[in-house]
């Protein structure tokens, strides 16, 4: 009887073990099957071979085991790249790892607000953020962010993708602090470039007319003088093409936070207001903030800054003049999001400052700016340089939305989010994401055959990113100690100039004074350690204007002769520069 009693227990134990083994095999099959499905249907474009992709996806499945069944929450602004992540990549990640991701798409200002609230309250709101690297100066000073480089060496050592290949990322200099630590991981990036109607610029009648009026060739403007002449030419002399009113310039002027981005992103740097230095001018950056070591010491000219200096006043004056004279009348009352689609409507000849994030929306068949075969009638090129610009300076802005992790997020949730972040930038996924959103982050993707094949329909995007010139386009840098507090000042004061309420000089005097006031409050609070602000005493502005570098004294002639270059010649110079960089002379 005793033996008979034992036998069923043995059978039950054996059956239980079999069920567990079967369950484990089923789960393993579930995740590997999901990976195969996604690889065959979605991630067909990759710089990795199929076997390498499978290995990378298998790593995610294995690494995710301790977090399986969790739901994590992340936030980003709403652009095409992040829409792809939210709708496609989050689902793929869940099926391959068992970790559910709620990827919220919100306005850029809301991302900064949520991030700031979490930093101030130490209450977890999101497990990770994709926020602009413009906050690098904020992140490395406040000590609220977990440095990526520390995380990789520490708690995330066993959860860091072996094929992450940080050296392949093109924007790491944007997300590295003065202490040499990597604080954010680039997820997408796009530049602001010059945009123009190449089909109009190629017309013999318009080329002849322009040459007769201005004495030089119609082409890609290399300086602001030529840009201004071209703006005047199309708005004043051409006026209409094929029955459609045309304008030589596009911008926006409504009092709105996006008016501040227009300026903090690049307006002063294109004019040449800051100092030489890549990624940002030192000691004075494109915001006009001077640092000594890593300490901000002032933004007004009387403290050694350049926010209200002659170059900044020149830049603001041109912004106001061109908006009034050469842009469509309704542009004065538009915001960034309202003005963005206007060039695609077919009535704009050029735009000095155009975000390449609009590329995908600008090359859709059926648009007035797209040919029957799907190729664009437009092209993008480097923005022209202002008269204060000098060699070695940054020339424009590059947005670098980057994964950011806060110390206030519980470690387990942060590590699960770190896995998702790596998934969105992994080599299995990144090329397809680049082709969808056109916001490249990897050198290997930029140089892939897939990008070569796509190039004819992208109007110069691929050529730009393959060019050594791209290093002159950079985000806001580390001179800015508190991006949320300082950025909100800009649109309020710039709007005074845009509306005509105040002169450009008076508006910028107000801005510089307001920035110095914020810097002084941060200095008194002593919350940013040895790299926090310590303002210079006020001096006679002439003292600083007579020193080398920025702030720069007013030029006797702010409009040198216009200078242009043929687009094909520009491309050849890029290709030659790229060849020299790779192979030497």
């Amino acid at each position: 009887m005793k033996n008979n009693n034992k036998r069923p227990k043995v059978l039950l134990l054996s059956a239980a073990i079999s069920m567990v083994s079967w369950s484990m095999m089923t789960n393993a099959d579930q995740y590997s099957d999901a990976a195969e499905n996604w690889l065959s249907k979605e991630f067909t474009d990759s710089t990795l071979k199929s076997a390498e992709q499978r290995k990378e996806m298998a790593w995610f499945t294995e690494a995710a085991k301790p977090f399986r069944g969790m739901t994590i929450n992340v936030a980003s602004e709403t652009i095409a790249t992040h829409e792809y992540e939210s709708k496609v990549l989050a689902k793929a990640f869940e099926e391959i790892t068992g970790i559910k991701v709620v990827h919220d798409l919100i306005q850029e200002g809301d991302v900064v607000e949520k991030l700031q609230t979490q930093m101030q309250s130490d209450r977890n709101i999101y497990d990770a953020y994709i926020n602009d690297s413009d906050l690098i100066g904020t992140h490395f000073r406040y000590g609220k962010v977990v440095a990526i480089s520390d995380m990789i060496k520490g708690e995330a050592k066993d959860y860091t993708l072996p094929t992450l290949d940080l050296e392949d990322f093109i924007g790491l200099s944007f997300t590295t602090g003065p202490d040499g630590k990597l604080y954010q991981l680039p997820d997408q990036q796009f530049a602001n470039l010059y945009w123009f109607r190449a089909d109009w610029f190629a017309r013999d009648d318009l080329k002849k007319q322009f040459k007769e009026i201005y004495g030089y060739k119609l082409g890609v403007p290399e300086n602001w003088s030529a840009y201004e002449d071209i703006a005047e030419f199309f708005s004043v002399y051409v006026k209409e093409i094929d029955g459609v009113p045309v304008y030589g310039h596009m911008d926006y002027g409504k009092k709105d936070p996006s008016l501040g981005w227009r300026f903090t992103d690049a307006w002063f740097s294109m004019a040449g207001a800051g100092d030489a230095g890549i990624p940002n001018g030192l000691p004075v950056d494109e915001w006009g903030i001077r640092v000594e070591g890593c300490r901000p010491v002032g933004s007004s000219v009387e403290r050694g800054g350049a926010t209200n200096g002659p170059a900044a006043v020149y830049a603001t004056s041109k912004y106001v003049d061109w908006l009034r004279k050469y842009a469509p009348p309704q542009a004065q009352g538009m915001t960034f999001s309202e003005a963005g689609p206007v060039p695609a409507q077919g009535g704009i000849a050029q735009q000095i400052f155009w975000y390449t994030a609009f590329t995908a929306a600008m090359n859709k068949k059926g648009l007035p700016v797209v040919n029957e075969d799907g190729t664009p009638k437009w092209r993008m090129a480097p923005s022209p340089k202002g008269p204060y610009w000098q060699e070695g300076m940054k020339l424009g802005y590059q947005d670098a939305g980057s994964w950011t992790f806060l110390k206030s997020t519980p470690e387990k949730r942060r590590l699960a989010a770190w896995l998702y972040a790596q998934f969105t930038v992994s080599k299995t996924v990144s090329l397809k994401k680049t082709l969808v959103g056109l916001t490249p982050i990897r050198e290997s993707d930029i140089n892939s055959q897939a990008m070569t094949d796509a190039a004819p329909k992208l109007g110069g995007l691929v050529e730009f990113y393959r060019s050594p010139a791209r290093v002159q386009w950079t985000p806001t840098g580390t001179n800015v100690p508190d991006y949320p507090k300082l950025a909100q000042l800009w649109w309020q004061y710039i709007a005074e100039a845009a509306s005509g309420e105040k002169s450009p000089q008076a508006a910028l005097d107000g801005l510089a004074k307001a920035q110095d006031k914020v810097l002084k409050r941060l200095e008194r609070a002593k919350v940013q350690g040895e790299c926090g602000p310590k303002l210079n005493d006020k001096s006679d502005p002439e003292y600083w204007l007579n020193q080398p570098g920025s702030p720069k004294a007013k030029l006797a002639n702010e409009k040198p002769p216009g200078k242009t270059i043929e687009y094909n010649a520009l491309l050849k110079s890029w290709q030659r520069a790229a060849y020299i960089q790779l192979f030497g002379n």
Side-chain angles (χ1 to χ4, degrees):
M1 288 292 291
K2 290 182 180 177
N3 288 339
N4 287 339
N5 286 337
K6 284 185 177 178
R7 191 176 178 188
K9 291 181 180 179
V10 172
L11 289 173
L12 286 171
L13 180 60
S14 177
I17 292 171
S18 296
M19 288 179 67
V20 171
S21 299
W22 180 83
S23 177
M24 291 174 64
M25 288 174 62
T26 302
N27 284 338
D29 288 344
Q30 170 191 340
Y31 299 118
S32 60
D33 287 350
E36 285 294 331
N37 182 53
W38 283 99
L39 290 174
S40 64
K41 293 182 178 179
E42 184 66 26
F43 306 134
T44 53
D45 290 300
S46 172
T47 56
L48 297 182
K49 295 176 182 177
S50 295
E52 293 172 324
Q53 286 183 284
R54 289 190 185 93
K55 187 175 180 181
E56 197 167 69
M57 293 300 97
W59 181 88
F60 279 107
T61 298
E62 182 65 25
K65 282 182 178 179
F67 314 100
R68 208 164 278 168
M70 286 179 63
T71 297
I72 57 171
N73 304 289
V74 304
S76 69
E77 65 174 305
T78 307
I79 63 171
T81 298
H82 299 321
E83 287 175 356
Y84 179 71
E85 290 169 340
S86 178
K87 295 173 183 177
V88 179
L89 297 188
K91 183 182 179 187
F93 182 73
E94 180 180 357
E95 292 182 5
I96 292 168
T97 66
I99 303 171
K100 182 177 176 60
V101 179
V102 177
H103 186 144
D104 285 346
L105 300 174
I106 57 181
Q107 294 300 312
E108 182 182 1
D110 293 332
V111 174
V112 175
E113 182 185 348
K114 297 288 187 187
L115 181 72
Q116 190 177 26
T117 300
Q118 184 165 337
M119 289 171 64
Q120 291 172 346
S121 67
D122 287 328
R123 179 174 59 87
N124 194 49
I125 300 174
Y126 283 102
D127 302 313
Y129 296 82
I130 303 175
N131 87 278
D132 286 357
S133 70
D134 295 337
L135 277 79
I136 180 64
T138 310
H139 291 331
F140 97 85
R141 285 184 174 90
Y142 275 112
K144 299 286 187 175
V145 167
V146 180
I148 300 285
S149 46
D150 288 346
M151 194 161 66
I152 289 173
K153 293 175 184 175
E155 69 266 27
K157 184 177 181 181
D158 295 332
Y159 303 103
T160 297
L161 182 64
T163 52
L164 183 59
D165 191 6
L166 288 175
E167 295 301 315
D168 193 39
F169 285 78
I170 61 175
L172 290 192
S173 63
F174 309 153
T175 58
T176 301
D179 55 6
K181 291 184 179 182
L182 183 69
Y183 283 86
Q184 300 167 277
L185 184 69
D187 177 85
Q188 52 82 6
Q189 63 187 78
F190 54 90
N192 70 277
L193 297 174
Y194 172 73
W195 179 95
F196 71 106
R197 283 293 296 270
D199 57 335
W200 293 351
F201 278 48
R203 282 177 48 161
D204 289 336
D205 58 334
L206 296 181
K207 289 196 291 185
K208 180 182 178 184
Q209 186 181 5
F210 185 87
K211 181 72 179 292
E212 288 173 349
I213 296 171
Y214 298 99
Y216 60 96
K217 291 181 179 180
L218 176 62
V220 176
E222 294 193 86
N223 59 14
W224 281 26
S225 299
Y227 182 86
E228 187 171 57
D229 288 346
I230 295 168
E232 180 186 60
F233 174 66
F234 279 98
S235 294
V236 176
Y237 294 99
V238 178
K239 294 183 180 179
E240 186 178 291
I241 293 178
D242 300 330
V244 177
V246 300
Y247 298 90
H249 175 64
M250 184 59 205
D251 214 322
Y252 57 93
K254 187 174 182 178
K255 187 175 183 179
D256 177 82
S258 62
L259 187 58
W261 311 335
R262 185 101 178 116
F263 277 73
T264 58
D265 281 358
W267 202 244
F268 289 177
S269 64
M270 291 191 296
D275 272 314
I278 299 295
N280 303 90
L282 281 175
V284 181
D285 71 351
E286 68 274 19
W287 284 44
I289 297 175
R290 174 180 287 271
V291 295
E292 291 178 3
C294 62
R295 282 189 179 277
V297 296
S299 61
S300 60
V301 173
E302 60 189 0
R303 296 186 193 274
T307 305
N308 59 335
V313 172
Y314 161 80
T316 308
S317 299
K318 288 303 174 187
Y319 158 75
V320 172
D321 290 348
W322 294 346
L323 181 62
R324 291 174 183 167
K325 293 179 180 178
Y326 309 129
Q330 62 270 28
Q332 184 80 40
M334 286 183 167
T335 64
F336 168 79
S337 58
E338 293 165 341
V342 172
Q345 296 167 8
I348 305 298
Q350 61 170 1
Q351 188 167 352
I352 192 171
F353 180 123
W354 177 83
Y355 287 102
T356 63
F358 290 124
T359 304
M362 188 72 81
N363 65 359
K364 294 178 179 176
K365 278 193 175 185
L367 287 176
V369 295
V370 176
N371 293 310
E372 291 278 334
D373 63 357
T375 56
K377 297 178 181 179
W378 52 269
R379 297 290 185 273
M380 61 182 81
S383 296
K385 307 172 181 70
Y388 291 88
W389 192 90
Q390 298 169 331
E391 287 297 330
M393 292 182 62
K394 70 175 285 184
L395 184 50
Y397 176 77
Q398 192 150 187
D399 185 290
S402 306
W403 284 102
T404 308
F405 302 87
L406 298 183
K407 292 179 180 178
S408 54
T409 299
E411 184 176 296
K412 189 171 183 180
R413 301 190 66 81
R414 188 166 63 237
L415 290 174
W418 170 238
L419 288 177
Y420 175 62
Q422 293 176 94
F423 183 80
T424 65
V425 300
S426 64
K427 290 183 179 180
T428 291
V429 168
S430 63
L431 179 54
K432 177 60 185 287
K433 189 175 81 170
T434 296
L435 291 168
V436 170
L438 302 176
T439 55
I441 53 168
R442 286 187 177 275
E443 190 89 41
S444 56
D445 291 338
I446 292 167
N447 292 316
S448 67
Q449 184 59 46
M451 292 301 285
T452 298
D453 295 341
K457 293 187 177 181
L458 300 182
L461 178 74
V462 176
E463 290 84 353
F464 169 76
Y465 271 105
R466 287 179 176 177
S467 162
R470 72 167 189 245
V471 301
Q472 291 178 297
W473 278 257
T474 68
T476 296
T478 57
N479 286 29
V480 180
D482 192 316
Y483 184 95
K485 285 187 175 71
L486 291 166
Q488 65 182 339
L489 301 174
W490 282 69
W491 63 278
Q492 300 173 56
Y493 286 94
I494 296 299
E496 294 177 343
S499 66
E501 179 184 342
K502 289 185 178 178
S503 69
Q505 181 70 70
L508 295 183
D509 285 345
L511 174 60
K513 184 177 181 180
Q515 282 205 138
D516 282 348
K517 189 176 291 186
V518 171
L519 295 179
K520 191 67 178 177
R521 285 206 303 267
L522 291 173
E523 179 182 351
R524 286 174 182 153
K526 297 180 180 178
V527 292
Q528 296 191 330
E530 61 183 18
C531 288
K534 187 176 177 61
L535 262 63
N536 283 335
D537 292 333
K538 293 180 180 180
S539 301
D540 185 336
E542 290 301 315
Y543 166 78
W544 287 104
L545 292 172
N546 288 323
Q547 300 300 311
S550 184
K552 300 166 184 174
K554 182 177 173 64
L555 292 171
N557 177 21
E558 292 181 327
K559 191 175 181 183
K563 187 178 179 184
T564 59
I565 184 172
E566 291 184 6
Y567 186 67
N568 287 336
L570 176 66
L571 290 184
K572 288 178 181 177
S573 71
W574 276 353
Q575 291 161 358
R576 175 62 181 160
Y579 179 88
I580 291 173
Q581 187 179 54
L582 288 172
F583 306 110
N585 293 319

